[in-house]
Amino acid sequence: MTHITEINCLDELAGYRLLWNSLLLQTRKATYFQTYEWLESYWRHFGHRQRLRVLIVSADEGPIGILPLAVQSERTRLGEVRVLTYPLDGWGSFYAPIGWNPTATLWAGMQHIHDTPRDWDLIDLRWIDADGIDAGRTRKSMQRADLAAAESRLFQAAQIQLDGDWDKYWRSRKQHWRENVNRSARKLAERGEVRYMRYRPEGARYGDGDPRWDLYDACERIARHSWQGAATNGTTLIHEWVRDYLRDAHEVAAQTGGVDLNLLLVDDEPAAFAYNYHWRGSVYGLRSGFDPAVSTDGSGSVLLRHAIEDSFERGDYLIDLGPNYLDVKRHWLTRVQTAYHCTHYATRLRPQALRMKRWLMGVKN
C-alpha cells in the first residue's frame, strides 16, 4: 500500500533534502536538473509565480520516490490557464520522477492528483523521454488514474552518446568537418598560444566548492562581446531576466558538484566558452559563445572538440546539446532524442476550448 505526503512549501521540503539526495542516487540516468539543489535555487527566483506540489511516495518498506510538480499560470489566446507540470521550466531537455521505482511513483502520484481538489486546468507533464527511460509509463499512469491523456512531440534534442573512445567517435564524423575543425585549430595557433581549460569542482562536501568567479566572469565577458550582448530572449548568460538567477545557480552548482565550465584561451585571452551542468556522467550544454574580437576562426568548434575528447577521458556517458538548432549541431550529434509531453484537460469550459483549438490546429491531444 502506498502513501503520499504532499509538500507545498520550499522551507518544508528542505526537511526532505537527505531523502531526496538518497533517492537521486538510485535514479536511472539522472541529470543535474533533478537535484534538490537545482530546484531550490530555481524556485527561490521563479517560485513566486507558481505553486509547489512535490509528492513523496512511500510504501510499506519506506519512501520509494519523489514526484516534483508545480502549478504554473500560462497565457493563451483563450485567457490564462493553470498548468500542472514538472518544474523544469524549459531549462533542460528531459525530466522524470526521482527514485528507483518511477512506475509506482507515477501511478501513486497521478492517483493522488486525481483524488485531491483541482487547482489546475490541465495536466501537461513535459520533457518526457518517452522513447527512452519513460517507456510509456507517464501516459499509462495518467490513464490508470482516469486522467485521459495522450502524448505529443515537444521538441528534439541533439545528443552525443560517448560510446567507445574518442578516436572512434572522431573518425565517425564526416571528413570535411574534421578538416574544418583542424583548420580552425591551426589558425587559432597562428594567433598565439591556445589553451583549453575545464573547471568541474567536486562540491563542498569534498572541500572543492569554489565557484571560481574569475572563470564565470570570463564567460560573461565573452557573451557580452558576442551577438549575445544584444539578445533579449533570455537565452544568454547576461540577459537581465536570467543573469542574477544564473549567477546564484552557479554558486549552488559549484557547491553541489554540478558545474562544468569550459574555456578556450588564446594568449590567455578568453576566446570561447561552454557553460554546462553535469551529474554522474551526464552533461547538459546550458550556454555557449565566442568572442569575435579575439578570433572568428572557429574557436567555438575547437572548444567543443576539446570538451568532447575530455569527456571521453573522464568517463562521461552523455552530452546533451539541448533542443532545436539541429542543423547547427548535426556535425557533432550521434542521435536525436525526442521530448514529449503528456496532456490531460479538465472538464471545464476553458481547458476544453483550448483542447479543441489545439485539435483544430493539428496538435495531437
Side-chain angles (χ1 to χ4, degrees), residues 63-91:
I64 62 172
I66 299 175
L67 188 61
L69 300 170
V71 180
Q72 306 171 346
S73 292
E74 298 185 1
R75 291 183 179 180
T76 73
R77 291 185 178 181
L78 299 176
E80 283 201 355
V81 293
R82 299 167 301 170
V83 181
L84 179 67
T85 187
Y86 287 129
L88 183 60
D89 207 13
W91 286 101

Side-chain angles (χ1 to χ4, degrees), residues 53-309:
R53 296 194 68 178
V54 175
L55 309 182
I56 313 292
V57 181
S58 302
D60 292 339
E61 65 271 27
I64 62 172
I66 299 175
L67 188 61
L69 300 170
V71 180
Q72 306 171 346
S73 292
E74 298 185 1
R75 291 183 179 180
T76 73
R77 291 185 178 181
L78 299 176
E80 283 201 355
V81 293
R82 299 167 301 170
V83 181
L84 179 67
T85 187
Y86 287 129
L88 183 60
D89 207 13
W91 286 101
S93 295
F94 297 99
Y95 204 86
I98 314 299
W100 58 270
N101 195 336
T103 299
T105 301
L106 274 166
W107 284 20
M110 289 300 98
Q111 190 63 56
H112 175 80
I113 294 300
H114 176 273
D115 295 342
T116 51
R118 295 189 178 182
D119 57 354
W120 46 267
D121 298 308
L122 65 148
I123 302 171
D124 196 21
L125 295 186
R126 301 161 180 167
W127 311 290
I128 299 169
D129 187 9
D131 297 329
I133 60 173
D134 182 76
R137 65 169 57 94
T138 298
R139 175 177 50 82
K140 293 175 183 176
S141 297
M142 293 174 70
Q143 292 174 341
R144 185 174 183 267
D146 199 24
L147 298 166
E151 294 170 349
S152 56
R153 195 173 79 171
L154 189 61
F155 57 73
Q156 291 184 306
Q159 296 188 335
I160 304 171
Q161 290 179 289
L162 303 178
D163 299 329
D165 57 29
W166 160 254
D167 290 333
K168 177 182 176 182
Y169 166 79
W170 189 236
R171 288 195 304 269
S172 72
R173 305 299 93 192
K174 291 185 177 180
Q175 182 177 353
H176 77 87
W177 177 248
R178 287 182 282 143
E179 292 173 351
N180 287 342
V181 177
N182 290 336
R183 187 180 304 111
S184 295
R186 290 193 297 270
K187 289 183 177 180
L188 283 171
E190 291 171 0
R191 289 177 171 268
E193 181 187 0
V194 178
R195 184 161 57 96
Y196 164 72
M197 64 178 302
R198 189 172 206 165
Y199 183 60
R200 187 184 281 191
E202 294 186 29
R205 63 182 298 186
Y206 298 103
D208 185 25
D210 186 353
R212 286 296 305 269
W213 288 113
D214 57 323
L215 303 182
Y216 189 89
D217 289 343
C219 295
E220 282 197 343
R221 286 197 300 274
I222 294 172
R224 192 171 292 110
H225 294 161
S226 73
W227 62 267
Q228 299 178 28
T232 59
N233 57 2
T235 59
T236 76
L237 287 180
I238 56 173
H239 187 261
E240 60 181 9
W241 181 67
V242 297
R243 183 174 183 265
D244 289 345
Y245 158 65
L246 288 174
R247 290 184 69 89
D248 288 348
H250 170 70
E251 184 169 15
V252 172
Q255 295 171 353
T256 308
V259 164
D260 182 70
L261 191 155
N262 299 259
L263 278 173
L264 191 74
L265 302 101
V266 179
D267 277 347
D268 290 329
E269 283 294 318
F273 80 94
Y275 184 84
N276 312 323
Y277 291 135
H278 83 96
W279 190 255
R280 300 174 69 84
S282 175
V283 179
Y284 183 81
L286 191 73
R287 298 287 190 269
S288 62
F290 70 94
D291 187 346
V294 178
S295 174
T296 57
D297 295 319
S299 55
S301 296
V302 175
L303 170 62
L304 186 52
R305 174 186 167 168
H306 279 294
I308 297 171
E309 183 175 8

